[in-house]
Amino acid sequence: MPSSYIFSSESVGEGHPDKVADTISDAVLDACLAQDKNSRVACETYVKSNIAIVGGEITTKAKLDYVQIVRDAIREIGYVNNDDVFHADHVFVMNIITAQSPDIAQGVDAKKAKGKKTAEQGAGDQGLMFGYACNETPELMPAPIMYAHRLGRELTAIRKAGKAAKWLRPDAKSQVSVEYVDGKPTRIVNVVISTQHAAGVEHAEIEKFCIEKVIRKVLPKNMLTKDTEFLINPTGKFVVGGPQGDTGLTGRKIIVDTYGGMGRHGGGAFSGKDPSKVDRSAAYMGRWVAKNVVAAGLADRCEVQFAYAIGHPEPVSVHVDTFGTHKKSEDSIIAAVQKVFSFKPAEIVKQLNLLRPIYSKTTNYGHFGKDDADLTWEAIDKVAALQKATK
């Protein structure tokens, strides 16, 4: 890698069509878990114009009004303006949810393996998952994605407060490009914000507001220079947005959800899936492991990868990479990780206490890097154990 380079990451707002779909899917999941913690949920959502289609496979004892869940989720996002084609109270909701396939269930349900005395839960699917952490920010996340998330959160907070910039609408995207020198973030090269707005507001007003009230408020002052370029609504107009302007699907923003492209991704999406699906739970596990390795001072960067076979209770591989930033030998770090953590699907659920309706908290502005006690994979509670295991 060159000594100097620029890396960019993007985030999207709650009203982005794909995030609308993610929000609905996670709202359905939480509603199921609130009544039945053993619910098996794989909920997919499609939104376009004034239509929301909710499908997938759900097996649960919960008694739910799916149409109301969808409308409440859309209302919370903020699609309630009189000129919204996609409106919480008027959207047409189609429910095509079926039960989980018994062929999948038999692979996931706890059962006794040959030669084992106790029953063990298998992985809900094959696949590979990654977790990542680095010491670039207090959240131990890459700087570009965290800065992009900050912009989106601030835009949403201002919009929902309703006191300033009443022309703001729910759909929005942000992007931040950071220059790295010798592997360290040194300055922000450019910032892009595209925010949906009401008709009639002047571009100059939007530009001034985004620069002065959003960018300069939430991004580190020492990272913004006289040469930082601000690109605000570059097309000049963004009135038609959300599902009216584009199609939204659950699971299409997996890089926004994770590390902004800085860490690798195994391919599986998160939203709408209960924790028996290792696409989600094992990715959370990977973040927990990697974050504790970095927090323990064992490396400046850490990426963890592991893989599963459907119905099998043990990972088929575990790999740790510190990209040459390790302070202890990588062999000792790998041995410590395998000693301190268990990667069995049932153990992941237990260690992280995942059978709770917490997933709507993850949907927007990244599943990682948030300061919330419910998001247990962000805890740095294994630092001492890792340090002891690597002595």
Side-chain angles (χ1 to χ4, degrees):
M1 185 175 288
S3 61
S4 176
Y5 60 92
I6 297 171
F7 196 93
S8 304
S9 294
E10 72 162 346
S11 182
V12 298
E14 297 170 22
H16 184 283
D18 293 331
K19 273 298 152 193
V20 173
D22 284 344
T23 297
I24 292 169
S25 293
D26 275 335
V28 170
L29 170 62
D30 276 351
C32 290
L33 292 175
Q35 295 184 37
D36 177 9
K37 69 176 185 178
N38 295 314
S39 297
R40 293 285 169 78
V41 181
C43 181
E44 312 288 348
T45 303
Y46 169 99
V47 294
K48 175 58 187 166
S49 298
N50 66 334
I51 298 171
I53 301 174
V54 184
E57 300 77 44
I58 297 179
T59 299
T60 183
K61 296 178 182 178
K63 304 299 181 184
L64 304 175
D65 183 341
Y66 289 106
V67 173
Q68 192 61 50
I69 292 169
V70 170
R71 295 194 189 284
D72 288 347
I74 296 170
R75 183 173 294 104
E76 176 61 27
I77 291 168
Y79 282 112
V80 293
N81 298 289
N82 291 334
D83 56 351
D84 287 333
V85 170
F86 186 80
H87 190 291
D89 295 329
H90 308 307
V91 64
F92 173 75
V93 181
M94 181 184 297
N95 173 10
I96 52 173
I97 293 169
T98 63
Q100 184 186 54
S101 163
D103 295 340
I104 295 175
Q106 70 177 355
V108 180
D109 292 338
K111 62 182 181 296
K112 288 184 181 180
K114 186 176 181 180
K116 299 288 185 178
K117 294 183 179 180
T118 58
E120 293 187 286
Q121 177 182 320
D125 200 353
Q126 71 174 51
L128 50 131
M129 298 82 205
F130 287 94
Y132 184 84
C134 61
N135 60 7
E136 294 177 12
T137 62
E139 300 90 350
L140 301 185
M141 287 282 288
I145 188 64
M146 290 310 296
Y147 297 162
H149 286 329
R150 288 184 194 178
L151 296 171
R153 277 196 296 263
E154 186 64 21
L155 275 172
T156 298
I158 294 170
R159 174 175 60 82
K160 289 188 173 181
K163 296 179 181 178
K166 294 184 179 181
W167 41 263
L168 281 171
R169 294 294 183 263
D171 196 356
K173 299 180 77 172
S174 58
Q175 183 174 284
V176 178
S177 300
V178 176
E179 182 180 38
Y180 285 74
V181 178
D182 296 328
K184 303 292 184 183
T186 58
R187 69 184 181 98
I188 294 173
V189 177
N190 55 63
V191 180
V192 183
I193 292 179
S194 295
T195 181
Q196 185 186 11
H197 57 86
V201 62
E202 295 293 328
H203 181 266
E205 180 181 351
I206 298 171
E207 185 175 50
K208 181 179 179 181
F209 167 80
C210 287
I211 294 172
E212 300 301 328
K213 302 301 182 181
V214 180
I215 295 172
R216 295 195 183 281
K217 178 179 178 181
V218 302
L219 296 186
K221 291 180 174 58
N222 65 312
M223 295 287 285
L224 296 171
T225 72
K226 62 182 179 59
D227 296 319
T228 300
E229 184 179 18
F230 303 123
L231 300 168
I232 311 300
N233 280 17
T235 66
K237 182 180 180 182
F238 187 5
V239 174
V240 177
Q244 179 186 0
D246 199 1
T247 301
L249 292 169
T250 300
R252 280 208 299 200
K253 286 294 175 282
I254 58 177
I255 301 304
V256 171
D257 288 344
T258 52
Y259 308 102
M262 185 73 78
R264 286 173 284 195
H265 195 290
F270 301 156
S271 288
K273 296 179 181 177
D274 76 86
S276 75
K277 280 72 172 174
V278 285
D279 278 341
R280 186 171 209 162
S281 57
Y284 292 171
M285 182 70 183
R287 166 63 177 171
W288 187 38
V289 173
K291 187 175 183 180
N292 275 271
V293 168
V294 174
L298 303 181
D300 294 336
R301 297 169 61 199
C302 180
E303 185 176 74
V304 181
Q305 188 224 45
F306 35 103
Y308 294 92
I310 187 168
H312 192 63
E314 297 275 2
V316 296
S317 68
V318 178
H319 174 64
V320 178
D321 189 350
T322 63
F323 308 95
T325 69
H326 50 91
K327 313 303 179 184
K328 302 280 187 177
S329 74
E330 286 197 311
D331 286 343
S332 69
I333 294 173
I334 293 170
V337 164
Q338 293 182 320
K339 179 180 180 181
V340 172
F341 301 97
S342 173
F343 294 94
K344 294 181 179 180
E347 289 297 312
I348 291 175
V349 171
K350 182 178 179 181
Q351 290 170 100
L352 295 177
N353 192 19
L354 296 179
L355 296 178
R356 296 172 294 142
I358 58 172
Y359 297 100
S360 290
K361 292 185 174 185
T362 69
T363 312
N364 295 293
Y365 315 116
H367 291 239
F368 309 123
K370 292 176 178 173
D371 183 15
D372 189 316
D374 278 338
L375 310 186
T376 47
W377 50 93
E378 291 300 317
I380 49 174
D381 50 348
K382 296 298 182 181
V383 165
L386 286 170
Q387 290 172 334
K388 182 179 179 180
T390 52
K391 283 185 177 179

